[in-house]
Amino acid sequence: MTTWHIAGAQPLGGEPVDIAISDGTISAILPTGSTPAPHSTLIEAHGLIALPGLVDLHTHLREPGREDAETVESGCRAAALGGFTAVHAMANTDPVADSAGVVEQVWRLGQTAGLCDVHPVGAVTVGLQGERLAEIGAMADSAARVRIFSDDGHCVNDALLMRRALEYTKAFDGVVAQHAQEKRLTEGAQMHEGVVSSRLGLTGWPAVAEEAIIARDVLLAEHVDGRLHVCHVSTAGSVEIIRHAKARGVKVTAEVTPHHLMLTDDLVETYDPVYKVNPPLRTARDVVALRAALADGTIDAVATDHAPHPSESKDCEWAAAAMGMLGLETALSVVIETMVNTGLMGWAEVADRMSIRPARIGGLEGQGRPLAVGEPANLVLVDAGASWVVDPAAMASRSRNTPYRALTLPGRVVATIYRGRPTVLEGRLV
Amino acid sequence: MTRHLLSCEDLTAEDAILILDTAKRLGELSTGPMRKLPTLRGRTVVNLFFEDSTRTRISFEAAAKRLSADVINFAAKGSSVEKGESLKDTAMTLEAMGADAVVIRHPASGAPYRLANAGWIGGSVINAGDGTHAHPTQALLDAYTMREHLRSGTGDLQGLRVCIVGDILHSRVARSNVTLLTTLGADVTLVAPPTLLPIGVEEWPATISYSLDDHLPETDALMMLRVQNERMNSAYFPSAREYSRRYGLTSSRMSRMPEHAIVLHPGPINRGMEIASEVADSPRAVIIEQVRNGVITRMAVLYLLLGGSESGLGDLVDEEATA
């Protein structure tokens, strides 16, 4: 296997060092300026930040079923370009990933693509219908070794089913990732319920519909001592509930999307469905609370909720449009813009929230590890000083529904090393 | 005002007064010997209706025909929501047929905004009611009617006390009226049960109230909104009877209003629900007049958007100044 010599990278923004990689592991960390080992390929990295490869807890790869929007392969290309070395593929495919057969298929497609680890998320209930538990144990025991279970896109509304899922997954240290959305409170919901929705005449998605489910779920998790993960937390009130539950020792973790760290509901005034997403964009007050919670660790992870949709699902009137936005290729830049450049987090925290903690939540070995000798060589090199203009047409995803179109974002992924081999060099797929 | 009329937020007070003044002149002309004006000869107006509304459609049709425009009625059965042709494809088809203006009624809030701004077509877009968002020509005809009765048919509506009663939450008529009437200087009070007021309404430029009786003596114009029966199934209020008792306009309530006060309703009315029959038929109710004013107000909008060059309103002022 080829050996690589990364020259002058700054691990977590610290002092520059040279990093030698061979046989998929970090073989040496040397003073910068060291002579590369014979036959190793040089990766020039002076001025670049080195982070452990990013781990996404929440990715929609759409395969099987909606290969017009994304495939495992195209999604993995987007992931690699975004600095990710592991993603979790959500279960709402067609057929739904609710059996060992489907999760193993997705697992194998990830292996074949070979651009990052693809960990299927298993459905909690059969067909995401919320009626009876899917064969969670079979998925856990399959080749895909599923540890995260979610009906994402749908909420497990039934309190008894939720309780059972939280209990049952304890047998193999699994976690239930809940899409918190009270059904009756969000019938026909189109956007955040507030001042903007009142003016635009769009049916509101109230913050309380998220908070009520999270409040119930942390109590259930506490009662059965199960592990709860809260998907895409979007409101200031949700943050307070999670903060309180963590203080009591409840086994709860939470994620926030890049778009909820940056964008607000007033963008809906354009009626452009590129801003239609579930949970919806909230208010500036919520954004402030989410940033603070990510900085202090109440929210554990940034997760993209990368949700590709074909153009016809967005080039229409708001009510007819699909919910969701792309995220993989812009996530790190948005985090730099909202968290690093604002002084809320340093690079160690970025590594923690985008790699270390998500890997731990997903129970992944070999991801989210320190940049140290003997560790798996999953890492990303970032030019923090660079900036780029987001061009939907230039994205590796099969879809174009990025809300950051034409925006200038800071930070550029220069290289991604996955299991000791570059998947991205000089900002391009290898 | 640009070349579209999408919401009353597009209109300054000057724009709105110009439309009302133009409507008045067109009304006078069209009752004269020459009922049909040649202004829009050779221009094509498409009525694109994704929602059944015979009243609004024929009002726009009459307005366009009195200005000699060619009118194409396009009743789209079901929008892309129901898996028909997409709004984009429908729009591009109409564009290819040479529509100078598209009058659109759509069940989705914001559909006219998308039609005007997504780059699908080049003509003018006039919102004839979108979802629960806006219905600007209804607000214009309401303002026109109020101005005729309470402000001698000229100027703005400074200081006029308007009370809008009913399902504010789902009403595009209420939204457009709040915007337009306050632009024209009126003081607007919204009266509804709390369940039928949107979260966020406290930021609107209006006074909010849960009690109709409190406001009757200080109201110059009372606008009753239609309450749809299906609202009852979503627990907005316990029963039609209870709604009617608390928020319906009865003769005894009407008698507590000032002598000069008028009663408006965008129609179609629910007799016995939000408005008692004897109120609807009383001389203080101007509901039929609103229909008549709807045609001339829409004539004014079409005239100003299509009459001159693309810049619309400004040209009419110049035209008049040099005439």
Side-chain angles (χ1 to χ4, degrees):
Chain A
M1 191 175 254
T2 325
T3 43
W4 302 85
H5 186 96
I6 301 171
Q10 297 168 256
L12 309 184
E15 289 303 309
V17 294
D18 287 5
I19 302 169
I21 293 168
S22 61
D23 295 331
T25 56
I26 297 173
S27 53
I29 293 187
L30 308 159
T32 190
S34 298
T35 309
H39 312 298
S40 65
T41 309
L42 184 73
I43 298 175
E44 168 50 47
H46 282 94
L48 305 183
I49 313 280
L51 302 173
L54 308 182
V55 176
D56 192 15
L57 284 169
H58 196 140
T59 319
H60 295 277
L61 294 178
R62 302 294 187 219
E63 191 177 3
R66 287 308 300 269
E67 291 82 356
D68 56 328
E70 198 80 284
T71 62
V72 171
E73 210 261 339
S74 66
C76 286
R77 290 158 71 88
L81 284 167
F84 291 89
T85 53
V87 299
H88 288 79
M90 273 298 169
N92 62 340
T93 48
D94 182 15
V96 171
D98 60 0
S99 67
V102 178
V103 294
E104 285 190 350
Q105 181 193 356
V106 173
W107 166 256
R108 269 194 296 273
L109 286 166
Q111 298 265 328
T112 307
L115 291 159
C116 66
D117 289 346
V118 174
H119 296 282
V121 172
V124 176
T125 66
V126 175
L128 309 174
Q129 295 297 302
E131 285 161 8
R132 58 199 172 88
L133 289 182
E135 290 194 345
I136 288 173
M139 291 187 271
D141 293 341
S142 73
R145 290 189 68 255
V146 178
R147 286 297 176 272
I148 301 182
F149 297 88
S150 181
D151 275 2
D152 182 61
H154 301 264
C155 178
V156 181
N157 264 292
D158 186 317
L160 181 69
L161 269 180
M162 188 61 187
R163 173 202 164 135
R164 296 289 185 241
L166 286 164
E167 283 180 305
Y168 196 77
T169 47
K170 287 165 66 178
F172 37 82
D173 199 26
V175 58
V176 181
Q178 175 72 296
H179 170 120
Q181 176 177 3
E182 214 287 327
K183 200 169 157 183
R184 286 276 282 157
L185 289 174
T186 53
E187 280 172 11
Q190 298 290 324
M191 68 171 295
H192 173 66
E193 182 171 60
V195 176
V196 182
S197 68
S198 81
R199 275 196 286 112
L200 297 184
L202 290 171
T203 306
W205 198 131
V208 65
E210 174 173 306
E211 293 153 6
I213 293 294
I214 297 174
R216 180 199 75 176
D217 287 351
V218 295
L219 294 172
L220 288 171
E222 185 172 32
H223 182 60
V224 303
D225 195 31
R227 270 181 70 204
L228 171 70
H229 177 72
V230 185
C231 294
H232 41 53
V233 171
S234 71
T235 79
S238 299
V239 167
E240 283 318 303
I241 294 162
I242 293 162
R243 198 190 302 280
H244 184 61
K246 282 189 164 185
R248 288 203 315 279
V250 180
K251 290 177 184 165
V252 57
T253 53
E255 70 188 33
V256 62
T257 69
H259 46 270
H260 287 111
L261 290 172
M262 182 156 162
L263 309 176
T264 50
D265 65 342
D266 48 335
L267 289 166
V268 183
E269 285 177 9
T270 61
Y271 286 107
D272 185 341
V274 80
Y275 300 114
K276 187 173 179 183
V277 65
N278 191 21
L281 300 178
R282 304 287 186 184
T283 68
R285 182 181 151 265
D286 295 301
V287 167
V288 169
L290 292 169
R291 290 181 184 184
L294 183 65
D296 72 21
T298 301
I299 292 176
D300 301 84
V302 174
T304 65
D305 197 2
H306 178 83
H309 289 291
S311 66
E312 63 270 23
S313 298
K314 289 290 189 180
D315 204 7
C316 57
E317 61 273 29
W318 182 275
M323 299 191 191
M325 23 181 89
L326 299 183
L328 286 169
E329 293 171 72
T330 47
L332 183 58
S333 288
V334 172
V335 169
I336 293 171
E337 168 90 3
T338 59
M339 303 301 295
V340 179
N341 289 354
T342 53
L344 289 166
M345 291 194 333
W347 293 105
E349 286 78 26
V350 173
D352 184 65
R353 311 299 194 269
M354 297 190 79
S355 176
I356 298 167
R357 285 214 232 179
R360 201 181 300 147
I361 291 165
L364 307 187
E365 289 161 13
Q367 296 283 351
R369 301 294 304 162
L371 297 176
V373 175
E375 295 288 354
N378 292 312
L379 57 128
V380 54
L381 300 174
V382 187
D383 182 351
S387 62
W388 57 297
V389 178
V390 180
D391 174 12
M395 299 208 132
S397 169
R398 279 208 177 172
S399 294
R400 299 288 171 258
N401 53 308
T402 171
Y404 310 108
R405 174 186 53 211
L407 281 185
T408 302
L409 293 178
R412 196 170 69 94
V413 171
V414 176
T416 307
I417 319 284
Y418 167 61
R419 293 176 179 252
R421 186 176 59 82
T423 52
V424 172
L425 280 178
E426 290 173 13
R428 282 189 291 274
L429 287 160
V430 175
Chain B
M1 186 166 167
T2 55
R3 59 200 169 92
H4 307 297
L5 179 60
L6 306 176
S7 127
C8 287
E9 286 167 12
D10 298 343
L11 301 174
T12 62
E14 291 70 35
D15 291 336
I17 290 167
L18 176 58
I19 293 171
L20 301 186
D21 290 348
T22 307
K24 195 166 173 67
R25 263 187 57 220
L26 289 168
E28 287 157 7
L29 286 172
S30 62
T31 51
M34 202 169 75
R35 286 203 61 180
K36 195 163 173 171
L37 307 171
T39 322
L40 296 186
R41 187 175 293 147
R43 313 299 290 273
T44 300
V45 175
V46 174
N47 283 325
L48 177 59
F49 276 56
F50 288 86
E51 212 176 52
D52 286 336
S53 174
T54 312
R55 302 162 64 96
T56 305
R57 184 183 57 73
I58 60 177
S59 181
F60 269 106
E61 187 171 351
K65 283 182 171 166
R66 285 194 201 166
L67 293 170
S68 305
D70 296 321
V71 179
I72 298 172
N73 286 312
F74 190 112
K77 281 285 173 205
S79 63
S80 58
V81 182
E82 283 93 37
K83 297 258 161 69
E85 186 180 44
S86 76
L87 179 60
K88 177 182 179 176
D89 290 320
T90 305
M92 286 168 39
T93 302
L94 298 175
E95 172 83 349
M97 290 175 182
D100 295 296
V102 176
V103 175
I104 178 174
R105 161 70 67 103
H106 201 286
S109 298
Y113 191 96
R114 287 289 283 164
L115 194 61
N117 291 295
W120 301 332
I121 61 167
S124 290
V125 176
I126 299 169
N127 184 358
D130 62 327
T132 55
H133 173 231
H135 195 354
T137 58
Q138 175 72 41
L140 285 163
L141 75 88
D142 290 337
Y144 184 93
T145 307
M146 292 178 208
R147 195 175 79 150
E148 285 298 301
H149 278 269
L150 303 164
R151 288 294 183 268
S152 320
T154 61
D156 61 15
L157 300 175
Q158 201 64 43
L160 191 76
R161 299 166 301 177
V162 183
C163 198
I164 304 176
V165 185
D167 185 357
I168 309 295
L169 177 63
H170 299 97
S171 177
R172 54 192 172 209
V173 175
R175 281 176 179 77
S176 284
N177 264 296
V178 168
T179 308
L180 182 68
L181 295 175
T182 53
T183 298
L184 289 170
D187 298 320
V188 179
T189 300
L190 301 174
V191 178
T195 47
L196 290 176
L197 288 164
I199 296 283
V201 74
E202 62 282 357
E203 299 286 321
W204 293 13
T207 304
I208 308 301
S209 171
Y210 306 140
S211 164
L212 176 55
D213 291 318
D214 293 353
H215 299 279
L216 293 169
E218 285 101 42
T219 296
D220 301 316
L222 184 64
M223 184 184 300
M224 304 303 296
L225 299 175
R226 179 180 171 81
V227 174
Q228 289 173 336
N229 286 328
E230 61 258 34
R231 302 297 174 219
M232 267 184 295
N233 305 325
S234 302
Y236 289 107
F237 47 85
S239 69
R241 220 179 138 93
E242 176 159 326
Y243 179 87
S244 183
R245 207 179 299 127
R246 292 176 66 86
Y247 296 99
L249 186 61
T250 57
S251 295
S252 76
R253 281 200 168 113
M254 188 167 67
S255 69
R256 273 179 270 147
M257 292 167 60
E259 278 295 312
H260 64 267
I262 57 170
V263 176
L264 299 95
H265 192 301
I269 64 173
N270 268 333
R271 287 175 185 263
M273 177 67 173
E274 72 271 0
I275 188 164
S277 260
E278 57 270 30
V279 174
D281 296 333
S282 85
R284 301 173 76 172
V286 296
I287 301 167
I288 294 306
E289 227 174 289
Q290 286 173 274
V291 176
R292 196 177 313 127
N293 294 339
V295 178
I296 56 173
T297 315
R298 287 165 180 135
M299 285 173 76
V301 169
L302 288 167
Y303 177 82
L304 292 169
L305 289 179
L306 295 180
S309 68
E310 287 206 330
S311 56
L313 284 179
D315 287 347
L316 184 86
V317 183
D318 299 340
E319 211 174 281
E320 283 185 325
T322 53

